[in-house]
Amino acid sequence: MNNQRGFFFNVDWITVLIYLALCTIGWFNIHAAVFDENHPSILDLETSYGRQFIFILTGLVLGTVILLLESRFLSAVSPALYVVTVLMLILVLAVGRGVGGNQAWIDLGGGFKLQPSEFAKFATCLLLARYLSATNVKVTDPKSFLIAGGIILLPMVLIKMQPDDGSTLVFCSLIFVLYREGLSTYFLVIGGILITLFITSLIFNEWYVVIAVIIVTVLAAISIKRNRPLLFKVIVGAVISIGFIFAAKPLYNKGLKKHQRDRIDVVLGLSQDKKHVGYNQNQSIIAIGSGRVWGKGYLQGTQTKYAFVPAQSTDFIFCTIGEEWGFAGSVTVLGLYLFLLLRIILIAERQRAPFSRIYGYGVASIIFCHVIINIAMAIGYMPVIGIPLPFISYGGSSLWSFTILLFILLKLDSNRMGINHA
């Protein structure tokens, strides 16, 4: 089946329509978020909303080009793409432009900037899929696991050095790809336990948490006393957990900057917001709540109109949706994301080639992580870490990278009945 037939007949157009819907919603809400009465036209190229229109059009061109590529090319070029993005991440540390405290951007001139960390996401997904789909590679094998972990960890370290904690955290979501490919559930359980212990150790006195761990361990030991191997693992796990509990606060104090700790302390209720470190979040929550059921109407949001919420066209774009379109609009957007994620998983599961399936789960993991963190940040359930809402937040790098991420999967899916991409 040739490329033209694959393009017209085999592309998952339902996913394309969801993509277009989200891009359109983003465009109109960027217009609302930074509306300028001197430039009222949504197509005015001197404004952010005018530039977003250009980003959407160029994104569609990128998507079309990807759909016309050979599927085998996407697998073959993945190592080169990964190397290029890693080099860009190194370059940005030397010549990058600081925005919002992060040295994460390369200035291209003319008001345009490039954020390499965004493009590192699809490059990492491609190389990870290529490696895990190779013959004799099993994620349960320690060597294979370490190599796969290294593919994920390298860009994470470079992005952390910028420092861009939001993008760094997104790469952690790729653990779900490893889990789908056979990684033991114990790793997810252990990760969940460590996160829980870390948070509870910050909220409560360490000794209270240690006593709780000891009680749980004793009860578990009594119930499995005849299973000595499992009993041994439980005891070792308890010892490690207790050590981690006492290390939590030193790691927290030394691993994060003061303004980051202040934001987390406010979210966890450990301190009052006397320094107004939670101002952005508080204004975002007010904006979303004021929209009530049906919203105030397009361009009628007072929190939006008077710019109470900083970064409202980027990190806090969801509060514009909440204020002007209300609960109904917010649920509609969440529904579109849910539909998109379910569609991506469906596409991933119907692939004949392991490479395509693994890549599909990478796409789902990254988009899911972005949506959850961004919206949780906007409604006050997570500290502000600066992460865009996929296809909706303003920005060329973000929109293009998510477009490339998604359309590569659509291309692989359009050719699923043809060649094996692994």
Side-chain angles (χ1 to χ4, degrees):
M1 185 173 291
N2 59 37
N3 277 333
Q4 292 300 322
R5 287 195 63 192
F7 176 81
F8 287 108
F9 295 104
N10 292 336
V11 172
D12 192 279
W13 291 107
I14 294 176
T15 302
V16 174
L17 288 175
I18 301 171
Y19 162 81
L20 291 174
L22 289 170
C23 288
T24 304
I25 289 170
W27 182 32
F28 276 92
N29 280 281
I30 291 167
H31 181 237
V34 293
F35 178 73
D36 185 351
E37 292 182 355
N38 296 319
H39 301 274
S41 172
I42 196 172
L43 295 173
D44 191 327
L45 300 183
E46 295 183 15
T47 64
S48 297
Y49 33 93
R51 288 191 291 271
Q52 187 71 7
F53 177 67
I54 298 299
F55 296 151
I56 292 172
L57 290 182
T58 51
L60 289 171
V61 172
L62 280 172
T64 303
V65 170
I66 290 169
L67 291 176
L68 294 173
L69 292 173
E70 286 288 342
S71 296
R72 284 182 176 177
F73 173 78
L74 296 170
S75 175
V77 79
S78 58
L81 280 175
Y82 184 83
V83 171
V84 169
T85 54
V86 166
L87 291 175
M88 289 174 65
L89 290 172
I90 295 173
L91 178 65
V92 80
L93 294 174
V95 301
R97 177 181 174 183
V99 177
N102 299 332
Q103 189 172 328
W105 303 83
I106 296 176
D107 195 342
L108 301 178
F112 291 95
K113 301 182 294 293
L114 188 70
Q115 189 176 10
S117 60
E118 292 294 334
F119 297 94
K121 294 167 187 174
F122 70 79
T124 302
C125 284
L126 279 171
L127 186 61
L128 185 65
R130 177 184 168 112
Y131 175 71
L132 292 178
S133 62
T135 307
N136 298 325
V137 172
K138 294 183 179 179
V139 74
T140 52
D141 176 63
K143 180 182 177 181
S144 298
F145 175 74
L146 289 174
I147 294 175
I151 291 171
I152 300 170
L153 189 62
L154 178 57
M156 283 182 65
V157 171
L158 293 172
I159 293 169
K160 175 62 179 174
M161 291 171 67
Q162 294 177 2
D164 184 352
D165 295 319
S167 295
T168 303
L169 186 60
V170 168
F171 280 81
C172 295
S173 68
L174 294 177
I175 189 69
F176 293 111
V177 178
L178 304 183
Y179 173 70
R180 171 60 182 82
E181 294 306 306
L183 187 67
S184 174
T185 307
Y186 286 115
F187 283 90
L188 294 180
V189 173
I190 291 171
I193 290 173
L194 291 178
I195 292 172
T196 302
L197 289 175
F198 184 81
I199 294 174
T200 53
S201 298
L202 296 179
I203 298 175
F204 304 104
N205 183 285
E206 295 97 325
W207 285 106
Y208 294 155
V209 184
V210 168
I211 291 171
V213 169
I214 292 173
I215 292 173
V216 172
T217 303
V218 170
L219 293 174
I222 293 172
S223 64
I224 60 171
K225 59 184 178 180
R226 294 182 181 180
N227 189 337
R228 292 188 177 182
L230 184 57
L231 178 61
F232 176 76
K233 291 180 180 179
V234 169
I235 294 173
V236 170
V239 172
I240 294 174
S241 297
I242 291 172
F244 182 76
I245 290 167
F246 286 110
K249 285 185 178 177
L251 288 172
Y252 178 68
N253 291 326
K254 294 181 179 180
L256 296 176
K257 294 181 179 180
K258 188 176 184 306
H259 73 276
Q260 294 171 324
R261 297 197 303 271
D262 289 340
R263 290 171 178 174
I264 295 173
D265 288 345
V266 170
V267 172
L268 295 179
L270 298 176
S271 65
Q272 295 181 347
D273 192 14
K274 295 180 180 179
K275 299 179 181 179
H276 302 290
V277 296
Y279 173 83
N280 292 12
Q281 264 185 338
N282 292 335
Q283 294 299 321
S284 175
I285 293 168
I286 292 170
I288 294 171
S290 67
R292 299 190 177 182
V293 177
W294 301 110
K296 297 176 180 178
Y298 186 55
L299 298 179
Q300 301 303 312
T302 53
Q303 292 288 111
T304 297
K305 183 181 295 183
Y306 298 109
F308 284 105
V309 185
Q312 196 163 343
S313 65
T314 53
D315 299 342
F316 286 95
I317 190 71
F318 188 73
C319 76
T320 304
I321 297 170
E323 182 179 25
E324 300 203 345
W325 303 102
F327 179 77
S330 299
V331 170
T332 299
V333 170
L334 289 173
L336 284 171
Y337 278 123
L338 178 60
F339 193 16
L340 176 64
L341 288 167
L342 291 175
R343 196 73 194 173
I344 291 171
I345 293 173
L346 171 66
I347 290 172
E349 285 295 337
R350 72 188 183 193
Q351 300 307 304
R352 299 173 64 187
F355 173 84
S356 303
R357 181 188 68 245
I358 296 166
Y359 178 79
Y361 271 91
V363 176
S365 298
I366 287 176
I367 292 179
F368 174 78
C369 187
H370 266 270
V371 172
I372 291 297
I373 293 176
N374 180 277
I375 294 178
M377 182 180 70
I379 61 178
Y381 282 95
M382 283 193 69
V384 179
I385 56 176
I387 187 171
L389 192 60
F391 311 113
I392 290 181
S393 291
Y394 170 76
S397 292
S398 172
L399 180 60
W400 292 337
S401 67
F402 279 116
T403 298
I404 294 170
L405 185 77
L406 182 62
F407 274 75
I408 287 175
L409 177 62
L410 292 175
K411 174 57 187 177
L412 295 173
D413 178 62
S414 71
N415 202 38
R416 67 182 182 276
M417 301 305 293
I419 60 173
N420 190 312
H421 317 301

